[in-house]
Amino acid sequence: MIKKASSFKRTMSLIVCTSMMCVSSLAQSHYSSAKLALKEYKISSRVLNEERTITIYKPPVHPEYKDVVSPVIYVLDSEFYADFISTMISFVSERFVTMPPITVVGIQNFGEGAIGRNRDLTPLIAKDSSIFKTSGGAEKFLQYIREEVFPFVEKDHKKTPYRVLIGHSLGGLLTMHTFLKHPEMFNAYLASDPSLWINNNEYMEIVKTTIDKTDERNKKLFFSTGNSRSIGPNAKKVDSLLQVKKIKKLSHQFTNYPNEIHTTVFMKSYYDGLHFIFQMDPFDANLKLADITWSLLENHYNKLSEIYGGPMKPEESLVNTWGYRFLNQEKNVNKALEFFKKNIENYPASANVYDSYAEALLVKGDKKNAMINYEKAFQMDPTNTAARDIAIKLKSEQ
């Protein structure tokens, strides 16, 4: 039997689109008016020999997501961007729950005049001292993240979480550098308008050499650029190098936003990048009904399981809806039966899945098994008198 999922009107700001993921009927039952809560922590860094600040945002874990391992987004330049990222995650994981919880960690910089930022985020010693008073500290900064930030943030995780690194401008440069030289640190990388122009484009030689020597990399990379003349050409060159090399297992996307400037492009970059990294497109996007298969749906959720570190399965109502579409619109009873049977495997405690399976069996002409499943549906849900009556009728016929 088809159950109607509850719905409510969503009115959100531009930064929160409901297209972020195929919305589950189960998740729609959650709504919270909670305010964004970032907690600040101090780390006395042995690596950097100074006190550093990080912020952490953790959404609540709803019962249906109790087995997931929350992915962690690490945000560079967090004094500028952590609130923005955390707000987006808050809406989809806490306010209007459409996806599992994701932790957001802001890694702050320090010092007046961007002294700390220029030091920590640059992998090369800058030749232009008029712009960079300090530079070349990226390796030590990454050591600080690896040896001190990771253990502090992830100490309560059941296993190493799916890690995402996000950076804009110089932060984008460090994000690209980490992807190229320390790919093991993160699972996915999001670089907005990366400043690859440092030292008159010297870093691009490192980019080219590294890509040329890389044959396989099981990672995700999203990078973007606006209309900056100094940044755009290099980002496009990186995309071209990756397109030609075709690194095995690498999933990458490059997007150019010609109508955005350096100080606005991050808003679109961060949304689109997270959309890409967390597989927020519905599995059936742009597909015709006849092209929908169980293997496509299963593959989509297997990939989500990798991201969330726990079993992710299609929502009962989603699979039920597809089953009835195959049955009534496509007139494909065998495909409908496949989906309904998978629903029983995933939700054996639900009376509704047996009722739907029984209906498809009856259409196929398998009255014996239809009767068995109608009886099962009624036993589990005594209010379903329709299933009882059909079972009685089928039994009398036999």
Side-chain angles (χ1 to χ4, degrees):
M1 133 178 97
I2 298 178
K3 287 184 177 179
K4 294 183 179 179
S6 62
S7 61
F8 53 86
K9 184 177 181 180
R10 295 171 173 82
T11 304
M12 311 184 176
S13 60
L14 176 62
I15 63 172
V16 186
C17 277
T18 54
S19 64
M20 286 194 80
M21 191 176 184
C22 182
V23 180
S24 73
S25 61
L26 184 60
Q28 286 183 33
S29 65
H30 297 301
Y31 168 76
S32 169
S33 59
K35 303 299 181 184
L36 183 68
L38 275 69
K39 294 184 178 180
E40 187 174 284
Y41 300 89
K42 301 291 185 181
I43 297 178
S44 296
S45 173
R46 169 189 53 82
V47 174
L48 299 176
N49 193 30
E50 60 200 16
E51 185 177 77
R52 300 301 297 258
T53 301
I54 66 170
T55 59
I56 301 178
Y57 165 69
K58 286 186 176 182
V61 180
H62 294 288
E64 66 269 28
Y65 299 133
K66 62 181 176 59
D67 295 324
V68 307
V69 177
S70 175
V72 183
I73 299 173
Y74 289 90
V75 184
L76 301 172
D77 287 327
S78 70
E79 55 268 51
F80 303 124
Y81 308 112
D83 284 8
F84 182 83
I85 298 292
S86 298
T87 298
M88 286 198 292
I89 298 303
S90 171
F91 268 95
V92 296
S93 292
E94 182 170 9
R95 299 294 297 277
F96 303 91
V97 183
T98 58
M99 55 196 297
I102 299 172
T103 300
V104 180
V105 176
I107 304 176
Q108 290 189 10
N109 290 113
F110 76 103
E112 296 182 2
I115 292 175
R117 181 172 184 266
N118 289 351
R119 184 197 72 184
D120 293 339
L121 305 182
T122 51
L124 299 177
I125 295 177
K127 297 173 182 177
D128 188 350
S129 60
S130 65
I131 299 176
F132 297 98
K133 304 296 183 183
T134 59
S135 60
E139 290 303 321
K140 206 158 192 175
F141 188 62
L142 289 174
Q143 183 185 355
Y144 155 68
I145 294 174
R146 182 171 50 246
E147 297 180 7
E148 298 177 324
V149 177
F150 284 170
F152 183 90
V153 172
E154 300 170 9
K155 59 181 179 293
D156 296 327
H157 279 68
K158 291 179 287 187
K159 63 180 181 179
T160 301
Y162 189 91
R163 296 171 179 157
V164 180
L165 181 63
I166 292 182
H168 173 71
S169 192
L170 283 182
L173 168 62
L174 182 63
T175 300
M176 295 296 287
H177 174 72
T178 310
F179 164 75
L180 292 167
K181 293 300 184 180
H182 304 280
E184 75 288 345
M185 287 185 66
F186 298 88
N187 301 89
Y189 298 83
L190 197 171
S192 169
D193 237 14
S195 297
L196 298 167
W197 50 263
I198 188 171
N199 284 355
N200 196 27
N201 303 314
E202 179 183 342
Y203 192 78
M204 287 300 295
E205 290 301 316
I206 297 174
V207 173
K208 185 178 185 304
T209 301
T210 305
I211 291 176
D212 187 56
K213 293 180 179 179
T214 303
D215 295 319
E216 183 175 313
R217 187 154 295 179
N218 188 19
K219 305 292 176 181
K220 287 186 178 180
L221 171 66
F222 179 95
F223 59 105
S224 62
T225 187
N227 63 8
S228 171
R229 294 181 180 180
S230 62
I231 295 175
N234 283 336
K236 293 174 183 178
K237 177 64 175 177
V238 174
D239 179 53
S240 177
L241 291 170
L242 291 172
Q243 294 281 5
V244 171
K245 180 63 178 181
K246 291 181 170 57
I247 298 173
K248 293 178 182 178
K249 296 186 178 181
L250 174 64
S251 178
H252 101 274
Q253 180 176 316
F254 167 69
T255 303
N256 174 238
Y257 303 101
N259 296 324
E260 302 298 328
I261 61 175
H262 188 61
T263 53
T264 64
V265 68
F266 74 90
M267 290 186 279
K268 288 187 176 180
S269 299
Y270 287 173
Y271 174 81
D272 287 344
L274 291 174
H275 199 283
F276 168 74
I277 289 169
F278 287 107
Q279 284 204 184
M280 294 173 183
D281 281 332
F283 88 100
D284 59 314
N286 302 316
L287 292 178
K288 296 178 181 178
L289 185 61
D291 296 327
I292 302 297
T293 64
W294 179 259
S295 62
L296 283 176
L297 182 61
E298 188 173 47
N299 183 57
H300 177 79
Y301 278 85
N302 284 341
K303 290 180 179 178
L304 290 178
S305 296
E306 293 177 12
I307 293 172
Y308 293 103
M312 298 286 290
K313 57 187 179 182
E315 296 79 8
E316 176 192 335
S317 61
L318 174 67
V319 176
N320 202 54
T321 298
W322 280 113
Y324 276 106
R325 289 190 66 189
F326 299 138
L327 191 64
N328 299 323
Q329 297 178 33
E330 196 180 10
K331 306 300 182 184
N332 189 333
V333 66
N334 289 328
K335 190 190 286 189
L337 282 168
E338 180 185 19
F339 272 63
F340 288 141
K341 189 173 182 180
K342 292 292 185 180
N343 230 8
I344 290 176
E345 294 174 7
N346 285 333
Y347 301 95
S350 168
N352 186 60
V353 296
Y354 295 96
D355 184 284
S356 298
Y357 186 50
E359 186 172 343
L361 286 168
L362 193 58
V363 172
K364 188 176 177 66
D366 187 348
K367 295 183 178 181
K368 179 180 179 180
N369 285 309
M371 178 195 70
I372 292 172
N373 281 274
Y374 273 125
E375 287 181 336
K376 179 78 171 176
F378 176 65
Q379 289 169 4
M380 297 179 70
D381 178 14
T383 66
N384 188 358
T385 55
R388 178 201 62 193
D389 293 345
I390 297 174
I392 292 173
K393 182 176 183 296
L394 291 173
K395 181 173 280 190
S396 67
E397 291 176 358
Q398 294 180 35

